[in-house]
Amino acid sequence: MKICVLPGDGIGPEIMAEAVRVLEALELGFEMEEALIGGGAVDATGTPYPEATSRLAKAADAVLLGAVGGPKWDTLPREQRPERGLLAIRKELGLFANLRPAILYPELANASSLKPEVVAGLDILIVRELTGDIYFGQPRGVEERGGERYGFNTMHYTESEIRRIGRVAFEAARKRGKRLCSVDKMNVLETTQLWRDVMTELAPEYPDVELSHMLVDNAAMQLVRAPKQFDVMVTGNMFGDILSDEASMLTGSIGMLPSASLDENNKGLYEPSHGSAPDIAGKGVANPLATILSVAMMLRYTFGREEAALRVEGAVKKVLAQGYRTGDIFEPGTSRVGTRQMGDAVLAAL
Ligand code: IPM
Ligand code: MG
């Protein structure tokens, strides 16, 4: 059982160190190997997703990733930006199914910007398609046309792409609250009319799941108005990017949320939902819990070790109950700790 570890940029190495300690403490016999991705990879090799990293990632059963990017690389040509490394590994490994849970831990109810009664008990799963849509569509670019600059991108989906993410979402809903909301913009965009049609065609195969549809602008509004109406949401790559950030903030801190990106055989890339947070990088104050919870998702989805996953999640709940808080979730009356101390607390709870 081989894990490719990609700490990446910014706070990536700090939070990854804690996740790796948790993995080691579980003593499950995983083999871990580290490689470069993102800005650090650009500095060392000239490309954000070097050949050696690609080889390691392909050979591993799972990839654990910290975060990529930072202001230092923002002015590089597009192909050399750290984000390109992330898009490349998703595409190359065929990681089409991105699972982004947004769970509100009762201890953190005050961290949300919404009223506690609106978010108490919140537990949403966003299933985002990750290897298609306008993110990868051709043609794309910025050109000179008719004497001015012209920018263009292409939104597209094949029905088989929609069907396979639809199945992941229906299956996920089946294991949870049995409600699936498919999000599209069918009133304007043909591609997303096809999306709605294919989801509707799949529904009879999952009679135990209640399928509904919602336009993306309304979904964005409903997420802040009454988020608990949702159980599982499924949507395309771009809408999913936006809605998952919105959903994550309902829980108060994006620093708590893990994610999984899976291929058809449950090989997966696991990463916190947050970014590289260059403003606090190297200070030892970042919240490692999203990365630690990503380890739990990896144990569950790729390795089928449900018990170990629950142990890790239980340890995280315990440290929250004990009052340990990194700066992003700190409130008066709790104990403020740094990245390493939070890792220590999780290890002790384990
Ligand atoms: C995410 C990020 C990425 C995306 C960026 C960094 C390319 O925002 O994982 O949500 O847009 O998919
Ligand atoms: Mg995003």
Side-chain angles (χ1 to χ4, degrees):
M1 298 183 296
K2 220 172 172 173
I3 303 170
C4 169
V5 176
L6 305 176
D9 307 318
I11 59 171
E14 298 159 63
I15 54 179
M16 184 60 75
E18 302 314 311
V20 166
R21 286 208 296 154
V22 167
L23 257 174
E24 283 167 351
L26 291 170
E27 294 184 340
L28 294 171
F30 291 112
E31 199 183 302
M32 289 183 250
E33 204 169 329
E34 226 179 272
L36 293 170
I37 194 163
V42 172
D43 290 346
T45 71
T47 149
Y49 186 48
E51 186 49 43
T53 305
S54 156
R55 238 179 293 124
L56 197 64
K58 277 191 257 175
D61 301 294
V63 178
L64 192 59
L65 184 132
V68 298
K72 181 176 171 200
W73 304 285
D74 276 350
T75 51
L76 287 175
R78 199 156 280 280
E79 320 70 63
Q80 284 180 21
R81 297 229 186 120
E83 293 77 9
R84 265 299 155 97
L86 196 53
L87 297 175
I89 192 171
R90 287 173 180 169
K91 191 71 178 175
E92 184 181 72
L93 300 183
L95 307 172
F96 70 95
N98 184 211
L99 311 183
R100 298 192 163 180
I103 295 169
L104 185 86
Y105 292 87
E107 293 84 1
L108 302 182
N110 290 323
S112 176
S113 52
L114 296 190
K115 294 192 195 89
E117 63 267 29
V118 176
V119 289
L122 185 80
D123 182 355
I124 299 177
L125 176 67
I126 296 198
V127 178
R128 169 190 177 194
E129 200 289 328
L130 203 60
T131 51
D133 203 352
I134 195 166
Y135 267 54
F136 294 94
Q138 296 288 350
R140 62 195 296 154
V142 178
E143 288 172 3
E144 240 354 90
R145 284 197 198 173
E148 62 173 351
R149 283 171 300 166
Y150 172 83
F152 54 101
N153 286 92
T154 307
M155 175 181 258
H156 67 166
Y157 268 122
T158 62
E159 61 172 315
S160 52
E161 283 176 310
I162 302 170
R163 208 173 290 121
R164 69 178 181 175
I165 192 70
R167 288 192 194 286
V168 169
F170 272 106
E171 295 287 345
R174 182 168 261 180
K175 293 189 194 123
R176 297 173 35 111
K178 301 190 169 36
R179 285 179 301 117
L180 176 61
C181 179
S182 170
V183 176
D184 60 49
K185 187 69 186 174
M186 63 72 107
N187 54 347
V188 179
L189 302 171
E190 289 80 356
T191 306
T192 74
Q193 175 68 58
L194 178 66
W195 180 282
R196 185 175 289 214
D197 293 346
V198 172
M199 291 295 164
T200 305
E201 288 156 20
L202 276 177
E205 291 180 41
Y206 303 88
D208 50 330
V209 175
E210 181 197 316
L211 173 70
S212 61
H213 303 276
M214 200 178 275
L215 297 174
V216 64
D217 48 350
N218 186 26
M221 179 180 76
Q222 296 299 334
L223 267 176
V224 288
R225 193 188 72 85
K228 282 190 274 179
Q229 70 186 281
F230 297 110
D231 174 25
V232 179
M233 301 174 91
V234 62
T235 191
N237 202 347
M238 183 163 68
F239 297 161
D241 178 45
I242 300 164
L243 293 180
S244 62
D245 263 29
E246 187 188 9
S248 71
M249 247 354 251
L250 301 174
T251 71
S253 176
I254 197 168
M256 293 297 302
L257 300 177
S259 77
S261 307
L262 306 174
D263 74 359
E264 300 193 31
N265 306 307
N266 286 337
K267 174 167 175 164
L269 180 148
Y270 300 85
E271 58 178 323
S273 283
H274 60 71
S276 58
D279 53 323
I280 56 166
K283 296 187 177 155
V285 297
N287 186 347
L289 294 179
T291 316
I292 290 171
L293 290 166
S294 298
V295 167
M297 285 189 98
M298 177 176 77
L299 293 168
R300 173 171 297 125
Y301 289 108
T302 291
F303 297 111
R305 307 292 290 253
E306 180 65 23
E307 210 172 296
L310 288 172
R311 246 186 99 194
V312 173
E313 288 164 350
V316 169
K317 286 188 188 131
K318 187 162 174 195
V319 301
L320 292 175
Q322 289 168 335
Y324 294 110
R325 301 284 188 276
T326 40
D328 56 315
I329 50 176
F330 175 78
E331 53 186 310
T334 61
S335 336
R336 188 194 285 262
V337 294
T339 312
R340 176 42 62 108
Q341 291 161 289
M342 188 58 110
D344 287 341
V346 173
L347 288 178
L350 268 183

mmCIF file of all heavy atoms in Angstrom, residues 152-193:
data_model
loop_
_atom_site.group_PDB
_atom_site.id
_atom_site.type_symbol
_atom_site.label_atom_id
_atom_site.label_comp_id
_atom_site.label_asym_id
_atom_site.label_seq_id
_atom_site.Cartn_x
_atom_site.Cartn_y
_atom_site.Cartn_z
ATOM 1 N N PHE A 152 -11.741 33.485 -24.937
ATOM 2 C CA PHE A 152 -12.778 32.459 -25.134
ATOM 3 C C PHE A 152 -12.420 31.157 -24.423
ATOM 4 O O PHE A 152 -11.257 30.785 -24.301
ATOM 5 C CB PHE A 152 -13.009 32.203 -26.628
ATOM 6 C CG PHE A 152 -11.745 31.852 -27.379
ATOM 7 C CD1 PHE A 152 -11.450 30.539 -27.699
ATOM 8 C CD2 PHE A 152 -10.842 32.847 -27.746
ATOM 9 C CE1 PHE A 152 -10.270 30.209 -28.373
ATOM 10 C CE2 PHE A 152 -9.669 32.527 -28.420
ATOM 11 C CZ PHE A 152 -9.380 31.213 -28.723
ATOM 12 N N ASN A 153 -13.432 30.503 -23.902
ATOM 13 C CA ASN A 153 -13.318 29.174 -23.304
ATOM 14 C C ASN A 153 -14.520 28.364 -23.744
ATOM 15 O O ASN A 153 -15.510 28.935 -24.197
ATOM 16 C CB ASN A 153 -13.274 29.265 -21.773
ATOM 17 C CG ASN A 153 -11.938 29.775 -21.278
ATOM 18 O OD1 ASN A 153 -11.757 30.979 -21.093
ATOM 19 N ND2 ASN A 153 -10.995 28.884 -21.085
ATOM 20 N N THR A 154 -14.431 27.070 -23.604
ATOM 21 C CA THR A 154 -15.497 26.200 -24.100
ATOM 22 C C THR A 154 -16.037 25.309 -22.993
ATOM 23 O O THR A 154 -15.280 24.556 -22.375
ATOM 24 C CB THR A 154 -14.952 25.301 -25.240
ATOM 25 O OG1 THR A 154 -14.327 26.136 -26.211
ATOM 26 C CG2 THR A 154 -16.066 24.501 -25.877
ATOM 27 N N MET A 155 -17.345 25.392 -22.761
ATOM 28 C CA MET A 155 -17.969 24.492 -21.787
ATOM 29 C C MET A 155 -18.478 23.272 -22.537
ATOM 30 O O MET A 155 -19.183 23.404 -23.532
ATOM 31 C CB MET A 155 -19.136 25.205 -21.107
ATOM 32 C CG MET A 155 -19.918 24.315 -20.164
ATOM 33 S SD MET A 155 -21.303 25.190 -19.396
ATOM 34 C CE MET A 155 -20.651 25.533 -17.787
ATOM 35 N N HIS A 156 -18.088 22.095 -22.096
ATOM 36 C CA HIS A 156 -18.663 20.909 -22.744
ATOM 37 C C HIS A 156 -18.679 19.706 -21.803
ATOM 38 O O HIS A 156 -17.876 19.616 -20.884
ATOM 39 C CB HIS A 156 -17.934 20.568 -24.048
ATOM 40 C CG HIS A 156 -16.511 20.120 -23.892
ATOM 41 N ND1 HIS A 156 -15.806 19.514 -24.891
ATOM 42 C CD2 HIS A 156 -15.673 20.178 -22.837
ATOM 43 C CE1 HIS A 156 -14.587 19.229 -24.454
ATOM 44 N NE2 HIS A 156 -14.478 19.631 -23.223
ATOM 45 N N TYR A 157 -19.626 18.822 -22.025
ATOM 46 C CA TYR A 157 -19.721 17.544 -21.320
ATOM 47 C C TYR A 157 -20.275 16.495 -22.272
ATOM 48 O O TYR A 157 -21.213 16.777 -23.017
ATOM 49 C CB TYR A 157 -20.655 17.646 -20.100
ATOM 50 C CG TYR A 157 -19.942 18.000 -18.814
ATOM 51 C CD1 TYR A 157 -20.295 19.129 -18.087
ATOM 52 C CD2 TYR A 157 -18.915 17.189 -18.325
ATOM 53 C CE1 TYR A 157 -19.636 19.456 -16.907
ATOM 54 C CE2 TYR A 157 -18.247 17.519 -17.149
ATOM 55 C CZ TYR A 157 -18.611 18.640 -16.450
ATOM 56 O OH TYR A 157 -17.946 18.959 -15.298
ATOM 57 N N THR A 158 -19.712 15.306 -22.230
ATOM 58 C CA THR A 158 -20.345 14.187 -22.928
ATOM 59 C C THR A 158 -21.332 13.546 -21.962
ATOM 60 O O THR A 158 -21.193 13.678 -20.742
ATOM 61 C CB THR A 158 -19.318 13.115 -23.343
ATOM 62 O OG1 THR A 158 -18.710 12.575 -22.158
ATOM 63 C CG2 THR A 158 -18.234 13.705 -24.236
ATOM 64 N N GLU A 159 -22.308 12.828 -22.508
ATOM 65 C CA GLU A 159 -23.283 12.208 -21.601
ATOM 66 C C GLU A 159 -22.628 11.151 -20.724
ATOM 67 O O GLU A 159 -23.031 10.955 -19.590
ATOM 68 C CB GLU A 159 -24.489 11.662 -22.365
ATOM 69 C CG GLU A 159 -24.184 10.587 -23.372
ATOM 70 C CD GLU A 159 -25.493 9.990 -23.915
ATOM 71 O OE1 GLU A 159 -26.411 9.702 -23.129
ATOM 72 O OE2 GLU A 159 -25.574 9.810 -25.133
ATOM 73 N N SER A 160 -21.573 10.493 -21.229
ATOM 74 C CA SER A 160 -20.923 9.476 -20.375
ATOM 75 C C SER A 160 -20.194 10.125 -19.201
ATOM 76 O O SER A 160 -20.163 9.577 -18.098
ATOM 77 C CB SER A 160 -19.983 8.584 -21.194
ATOM 78 O OG SER A 160 -19.085 9.359 -21.936
ATOM 79 N N GLU A 161 -19.624 11.301 -19.423
ATOM 80 C CA GLU A 161 -18.991 12.021 -18.303
ATOM 81 C C GLU A 161 -20.027 12.388 -17.241
ATOM 82 O O GLU A 161 -19.775 12.309 -16.041
ATOM 83 C CB GLU A 161 -18.329 13.317 -18.792
ATOM 84 C CG GLU A 161 -17.006 13.144 -19.512
ATOM 85 C CD GLU A 161 -16.495 14.497 -20.041
ATOM 86 O OE1 GLU A 161 -17.255 15.234 -20.710
ATOM 87 O OE2 GLU A 161 -15.330 14.811 -19.780
ATOM 88 N N ILE A 162 -21.194 12.823 -17.716
ATOM 89 C CA ILE A 162 -22.245 13.218 -16.772
ATOM 90 C C ILE A 162 -22.763 11.988 -16.035
ATOM 91 O O ILE A 162 -22.955 12.001 -14.815
ATOM 92 C CB ILE A 162 -23.402 13.946 -17.503
ATOM 93 C CG1 ILE A 162 -22.862 15.179 -18.230
ATOM 94 C CG2 ILE A 162 -24.500 14.337 -16.515
ATOM 95 C CD1 ILE A 162 -23.859 15.844 -19.180
ATOM 96 N N ARG A 163 -22.945 10.911 -16.779
ATOM 97 C CA ARG A 163 -23.500 9.692 -16.173
ATOM 98 C C ARG A 163 -22.587 9.158 -15.068
ATOM 99 O O ARG A 163 -23.042 8.770 -13.998
ATOM 100 C CB ARG A 163 -23.721 8.639 -17.261
ATOM 101 C CG ARG A 163 -24.846 7.680 -16.917
ATOM 102 C CD ARG A 163 -25.190 6.741 -18.071
ATOM 103 N NE ARG A 163 -25.832 7.395 -19.189
ATOM 104 C CZ ARG A 163 -25.354 7.421 -20.443
ATOM 105 N NH1 ARG A 163 -24.200 6.841 -20.735
ATOM 106 N NH2 ARG A 163 -26.005 8.051 -21.393
ATOM 107 N N ARG A 164 -21.267 9.151 -15.315
ATOM 108 C CA ARG A 164 -20.393 8.533 -14.301
ATOM 109 C C ARG A 164 -20.319 9.364 -13.023
ATOM 110 O O ARG A 164 -20.294 8.810 -11.929
ATOM 111 C CB ARG A 164 -19.003 8.194 -14.857
ATOM 112 C CG ARG A 164 -18.135 9.362 -15.173
ATOM 113 C CD ARG A 164 -16.760 8.926 -15.661
ATOM 114 N NE ARG A 164 -15.984 10.126 -15.921
ATOM 115 C CZ ARG A 164 -14.724 10.141 -16.268
ATOM 116 N NH1 ARG A 164 -14.054 9.005 -16.407
ATOM 117 N NH2 ARG A 164 -14.102 11.276 -16.475
ATOM 118 N N ILE A 165 -20.359 10.690 -13.126
ATOM 119 C CA ILE A 165 -20.367 11.489 -11.889
ATOM 120 C C ILE A 165 -21.748 11.398 -11.239
ATOM 121 O O ILE A 165 -21.880 11.372 -10.012
ATOM 122 C CB ILE A 165 -19.941 12.964 -12.148
ATOM 123 C CG1 ILE A 165 -19.672 13.691 -10.832
ATOM 124 C CG2 ILE A 165 -20.971 13.738 -12.944
ATOM 125 C CD1 ILE A 165 -18.450 13.249 -10.104
ATOM 126 N N GLY A 166 -22.773 11.283 -12.083
ATOM 127 C CA GLY A 166 -24.125 11.106 -11.552
ATOM 128 C C GLY A 166 -24.220 9.847 -10.709
ATOM 129 O O GLY A 166 -24.771 9.862 -9.600
ATOM 130 N N ARG A 167 -23.632 8.768 -11.184
ATOM 131 C CA ARG A 167 -23.685 7.508 -10.433
ATOM 132 C C ARG A 167 -22.971 7.628 -9.077
ATOM 133 O O ARG A 167 -23.450 7.122 -8.071
ATOM 134 C CB ARG A 167 -23.040 6.366 -11.245
ATOM 135 C CG ARG A 167 -23.868 5.922 -12.414
ATOM 136 C CD ARG A 167 -23.342 4.599 -12.997
ATOM 137 N NE ARG A 167 -23.935 4.353 -14.305
ATOM 138 C CZ ARG A 167 -25.185 3.967 -14.485
ATOM 139 N NH1 ARG A 167 -25.961 3.756 -13.437
ATOM 140 N NH2 ARG A 167 -25.663 3.803 -15.695
ATOM 141 N N VAL A 168 -21.805 8.299 -9.095
ATOM 142 C CA VAL A 168 -21.088 8.509 -7.832
ATOM 143 C C VAL A 168 -21.982 9.261 -6.840
ATOM 144 O O VAL A 168 -22.068 8.916 -5.665
ATOM 145 C CB VAL A 168 -19.775 9.299 -8.064
ATOM 146 C CG1 VAL A 168 -19.151 9.747 -6.747
ATOM 147 C CG2 VAL A 168 -18.782 8.459 -8.872
ATOM 148 N N ALA A 169 -22.682 10.271 -7.344
ATOM 149 C CA ALA A 169 -23.518 11.104 -6.474
ATOM 150 C C ALA A 169 -24.734 10.333 -5.959
ATOM 151 O O ALA A 169 -25.083 10.420 -4.777
ATOM 152 C CB ALA A 169 -23.955 12.358 -7.222
ATOM 153 N N PHE A 170 -25.391 9.572 -6.846
ATOM 154 C CA PHE A 170 -26.538 8.774 -6.411
ATOM 155 C C PHE A 170 -26.095 7.743 -5.359
ATOM 156 O O PHE A 170 -26.767 7.545 -4.349
ATOM 157 C CB PHE A 170 -27.185 8.052 -7.601
ATOM 158 C CG PHE A 170 -28.233 8.871 -8.317
ATOM 159 C CD1 PHE A 170 -27.968 9.427 -9.563
ATOM 160 C CD2 PHE A 170 -29.486 9.077 -7.753
ATOM 161 C CE1 PHE A 170 -28.932 10.178 -10.235
ATOM 162 C CE2 PHE A 170 -30.459 9.823 -8.416
ATOM 163 C CZ PHE A 170 -30.175 10.375 -9.657
ATOM 164 N N GLU A 171 -24.959 7.098 -5.611
ATOM 165 C CA GLU A 171 -24.453 6.100 -4.645
ATOM 166 C C GLU A 171 -24.168 6.759 -3.298
ATOM 167 O O GLU A 171 -24.464 6.198 -2.242
ATOM 168 C CB GLU A 171 -23.156 5.444 -5.155
ATOM 169 C CG GLU A 171 -23.294 4.606 -6.420
ATOM 170 C CD GLU A 171 -24.005 3.282 -6.204
ATOM 171 O OE1 GLU A 171 -24.149 2.874 -5.031
ATOM 172 O OE2 GLU A 171 -24.433 2.683 -7.204
ATOM 173 N N ALA A 172 -23.546 7.949 -3.345
ATOM 174 C CA ALA A 172 -23.222 8.651 -2.097
ATOM 175 C C ALA A 172 -24.503 9.013 -1.350
ATOM 176 O O ALA A 172 -24.593 8.852 -0.130
ATOM 177 C CB ALA A 172 -22.404 9.906 -2.390
ATOM 178 N N ALA A 173 -25.510 9.491 -2.083
ATOM 179 C CA ALA A 173 -26.777 9.879 -1.451
ATOM 180 C C ALA A 173 -27.442 8.665 -0.810
ATOM 181 O O ALA A 173 -28.021 8.751 0.273
ATOM 182 C CB ALA A 173 -27.699 10.513 -2.492
ATOM 183 N N ARG A 174 -27.338 7.544 -1.497
ATOM 184 C CA ARG A 174 -27.914 6.285 -1.015
ATOM 185 C C ARG A 174 -27.348 5.920 0.358
ATOM 186 O O ARG A 174 -28.044 5.364 1.191
ATOM 187 C CB ARG A 174 -27.542 5.231 -2.057
ATOM 188 C CG ARG A 174 -28.043 3.877 -1.815
ATOM 189 C CD ARG A 174 -27.843 3.035 -3.055
ATOM 190 N NE ARG A 174 -29.083 2.954 -3.813
ATOM 191 C CZ ARG A 174 -29.205 2.271 -4.954
ATOM 192 N NH1 ARG A 174 -28.168 1.655 -5.474
ATOM 193 N NH2 ARG A 174 -30.364 2.208 -5.557
ATOM 194 N N LYS A 175 -26.063 6.242 0.594
ATOM 195 C CA LYS A 175 -25.420 5.903 1.872
ATOM 196 C C LYS A 175 -25.646 6.963 2.928
ATOM 197 O O LYS A 175 -25.177 6.835 4.051
ATOM 198 C CB LYS A 175 -23.905 5.735 1.668
ATOM 199 C CG LYS A 175 -23.547 4.544 0.828
ATOM 200 C CD LYS A 175 -22.041 4.303 0.849
ATOM 201 C CE LYS A 175 -21.635 3.342 -0.261
ATOM 202 N NZ LYS A 175 -20.634 3.891 -1.163
ATOM 203 N N ARG A 176 -26.334 8.074 2.574
ATOM 204 C CA ARG A 176 -26.525 9.158 3.536
ATOM 205 C C ARG A 176 -28.018 9.438 3.687
ATOM 206 O O ARG A 176 -28.786 8.535 3.988
ATOM 207 C CB ARG A 176 -25.803 10.419 3.042
ATOM 208 C CG ARG A 176 -24.311 10.293 2.920
ATOM 209 C CD ARG A 176 -23.727 11.534 2.260
ATOM 210 N NE ARG A 176 -24.433 12.744 2.628
ATOM 211 C CZ ARG A 176 -23.943 13.725 3.387
ATOM 212 N NH1 ARG A 176 -22.702 13.651 3.804
ATOM 213 N NH2 ARG A 176 -24.672 14.785 3.681
ATOM 214 N N GLY A 177 -28.405 10.694 3.429
ATOM 215 C CA GLY A 177 -29.803 11.090 3.640
ATOM 216 C C GLY A 177 -30.748 10.784 2.489
ATOM 217 O O GLY A 177 -31.924 11.153 2.525
ATOM 218 N N LYS A 178 -30.211 10.165 1.413
ATOM 219 C CA LYS A 178 -31.035 9.721 0.271
ATOM 220 C C LYS A 178 -31.706 10.866 -0.493
ATOM 221 O O LYS A 178 -32.761 10.694 -1.100
ATOM 222 C CB LYS A 178 -32.086 8.703 0.722
ATOM 223 C CG LYS A 178 -31.455 7.466 1.353
ATOM 224 C CD LYS A 178 -32.455 6.377 1.563
ATOM 225 C CE LYS A 178 -31.802 5.065 1.938
ATOM 226 N NZ LYS A 178 -30.602 5.171 2.799
ATOM 227 N N ARG A 179 -31.098 12.065 -0.431
ATOM 228 C CA ARG A 179 -31.601 13.174 -1.234
ATOM 229 C C ARG A 179 -30.459 13.735 -2.066
ATOM 230 O O ARG A 179 -29.379 14.001 -1.543
ATOM 231 C CB ARG A 179 -32.195 14.264 -0.335
ATOM 232 C CG ARG A 179 -33.573 13.861 0.226
ATOM 233 C CD ARG A 179 -34.156 14.918 1.127
ATOM 234 N NE ARG A 179 -33.257 15.186 2.245
ATOM 235 C CZ ARG A 179 -32.672 16.351 2.466
ATOM 236 N NH1 ARG A 179 -32.872 17.373 1.674
ATOM 237 N NH2 ARG A 179 -31.881 16.489 3.500
ATOM 238 N N LEU A 180 -30.717 13.886 -3.360
ATOM 239 C CA LEU A 180 -29.682 14.398 -4.262
ATOM 240 C C LEU A 180 -30.229 15.605 -5.006
ATOM 241 O O LEU A 180 -31.293 15.542 -5.615
ATOM 242 C CB LEU A 180 -29.286 13.300 -5.270
ATOM 243 C CG LEU A 180 -28.267 13.718 -6.338
ATOM 244 C CD1 LEU A 180 -26.948 14.150 -5.707
ATOM 245 C CD2 LEU A 180 -28.025 12.563 -7.319
ATOM 246 N N CYS A 181 -29.486 16.710 -4.943
ATOM 247 C CA CYS A 181 -29.868 17.907 -5.690
ATOM 248 C C CYS A 181 -28.837 18.140 -6.788
ATOM 249 O O CYS A 181 -27.657 18.340 -6.505
ATOM 250 C CB CYS A 181 -29.936 19.120 -4.758
ATOM 251 S SG CYS A 181 -30.388 20.625 -5.643
ATOM 252 N N SER A 182 -29.274 18.095 -8.031
ATOM 253 C CA SER A 182 -28.379 18.331 -9.163
ATOM 254 C C SER A 182 -28.468 19.807 -9.547
ATOM 255 O O SER A 182 -29.559 20.354 -9.685
ATOM 256 C CB SER A 182 -28.791 17.433 -10.334
ATOM 257 O OG SER A 182 -28.077 17.821 -11.487
ATOM 258 N N VAL A 183 -27.302 20.428 -9.702
ATOM 259 C CA VAL A 183 -27.259 21.874 -9.931
ATOM 260 C C VAL A 183 -26.792 22.168 -11.364
ATOM 261 O O VAL A 183 -25.770 21.630 -11.809
ATOM 262 C CB VAL A 183 -26.314 22.549 -8.911
ATOM 263 C CG1 VAL A 183 -26.191 24.034 -9.190
ATOM 264 C CG2 VAL A 183 -26.815 22.302 -7.485
ATOM 265 N N ASP A 184 -27.539 23.009 -12.062
ATOM 266 C CA ASP A 184 -27.180 23.326 -13.451
ATOM 267 C C ASP A 184 -27.596 24.761 -13.787
ATOM 268 O O ASP A 184 -28.025 25.513 -12.901
ATOM 269 C CB ASP A 184 -27.867 22.331 -14.402
ATOM 270 C CG ASP A 184 -29.386 22.376 -14.288
ATOM 271 O OD1 ASP A 184 -29.968 23.490 -14.326
ATOM 272 O OD2 ASP A 184 -30.011 21.315 -14.146
ATOM 273 N N LYS A 185 -27.471 25.124 -15.050
ATOM 274 C CA LYS A 185 -27.942 26.437 -15.521
ATOM 275 C C LYS A 185 -28.669 26.182 -16.833
ATOM 276 O O LYS A 185 -28.332 26.759 -17.881
ATOM 277 C CB LYS A 185 -26.732 27.384 -15.671
ATOM 278 C CG LYS A 185 -27.081 28.830 -15.998
ATOM 279 C CD LYS A 185 -27.759 29.580 -14.879
ATOM 280 C CE LYS A 185 -28.195 30.962 -15.344
ATOM 281 N NZ LYS A 185 -29.000 31.681 -14.318
ATOM 282 N N MET A 186 -29.659 25.266 -16.788
ATOM 283 C CA MET A 186 -30.318 24.818 -18.014
ATOM 284 C C MET A 186 -31.170 25.887 -18.667
ATOM 285 O O MET A 186 -31.513 25.763 -19.836
ATOM 286 C CB MET A 186 -31.116 23.542 -17.766
ATOM 287 C CG MET A 186 -32.248 23.670 -16.781
ATOM 288 S SD MET A 186 -33.675 24.581 -17.353
ATOM 289 C CE MET A 186 -34.802 23.247 -17.584
ATOM 290 N N ASN A 187 -31.473 26.963 -17.925
ATOM 291 C CA ASN A 187 -32.258 28.030 -18.543
ATOM 292 C C ASN A 187 -31.441 28.855 -19.530
ATOM 293 O O ASN A 187 -31.982 29.623 -20.305
ATOM 294 C CB ASN A 187 -32.913 28.923 -17.465
ATOM 295 C CG ASN A 187 -31.920 29.478 -16.467
ATOM 296 O OD1 ASN A 187 -30.775 29.025 -16.408
ATOM 297 N ND2 ASN A 187 -32.324 30.447 -15.667
ATOM 298 N N VAL A 188 -30.121 28.694 -19.499
ATOM 299 C CA VAL A 188 -29.270 29.452 -20.420
ATOM 300 C C VAL A 188 -28.313 28.552 -21.209
ATOM 301 O O VAL A 188 -28.077 28.782 -22.392
ATOM 302 C CB VAL A 188 -28.444 30.522 -19.656
ATOM 303 C CG1 VAL A 188 -27.546 31.297 -20.606
ATOM 304 C CG2 VAL A 188 -29.357 31.481 -18.897
ATOM 305 N N LEU A 189 -27.740 27.534 -20.540
ATOM 306 C CA LEU A 189 -26.637 26.789 -21.156
ATOM 307 C C LEU A 189 -27.058 25.386 -21.591
ATOM 308 O O LEU A 189 -27.470 24.565 -20.769
ATOM 309 C CB LEU A 189 -25.467 26.688 -20.167
ATOM 310 C CG LEU A 189 -24.909 28.031 -19.658
ATOM 311 C CD1 LEU A 189 -23.912 27.805 -18.533
ATOM 312 C CD2 LEU A 189 -24.271 28.812 -20.797
ATOM 313 N N GLU A 190 -26.915 25.084 -22.890
ATOM 314 C CA GLU A 190 -27.308 23.789 -23.453
ATOM 315 C C GLU A 190 -26.593 22.631 -22.769
ATOM 316 O O GLU A 190 -27.182 21.582 -22.497
ATOM 317 C CB GLU A 190 -27.005 23.738 -24.958
ATOM 318 C CG GLU A 190 -27.894 24.600 -25.824
ATOM 319 C CD GLU A 190 -27.502 26.074 -25.836
ATOM 320 O OE1 GLU A 190 -26.559 26.480 -25.108
ATOM 321 O OE2 GLU A 190 -28.148 26.851 -26.580
ATOM 322 N N THR A 191 -25.275 22.804 -22.531
ATOM 323 C CA THR A 191 -24.500 21.735 -21.901
ATOM 324 C C THR A 191 -25.166 21.289 -20.607
ATOM 325 O O THR A 191 -25.208 20.101 -20.292
ATOM 326 C CB THR A 191 -23.075 22.247 -21.587
ATOM 327 O OG1 THR A 191 -22.514 22.763 -22.782
ATOM 328 C CG2 THR A 191 -22.183 21.149 -21.056
ATOM 329 N N THR A 192 -25.681 22.254 -19.868
ATOM 330 C CA THR A 192 -26.242 21.897 -18.578
ATOM 331 C C THR A 192 -27.690 21.416 -18.700
ATOM 332 O O THR A 192 -28.208 20.785 -17.785
ATOM 333 C CB THR A 192 -26.115 23.057 -17.560
ATOM 334 O OG1 THR A 192 -27.064 24.067 -17.881
ATOM 335 C CG2 THR A 192 -24.719 23.622 -17.538
ATOM 336 N N GLN A 193 -28.348 21.673 -19.853
ATOM 337 C CA GLN A 193 -29.635 21.000 -20.123
ATOM 338 C C GLN A 193 -29.371 19.501 -20.283
ATOM 339 O O GLN A 193 -30.099 18.668 -19.744
ATOM 340 C CB GLN A 193 -30.283 21.556 -21.404
ATOM 341 C CG GLN A 193 -31.562 20.824 -21.800
ATOM 342 C CD GLN A 193 -32.690 21.077 -20.807
ATOM 343 O OE1 GLN A 193 -33.071 22.225 -20.582
ATOM 344 N NE2 GLN A 193 -33.223 20.020 -20.182
#
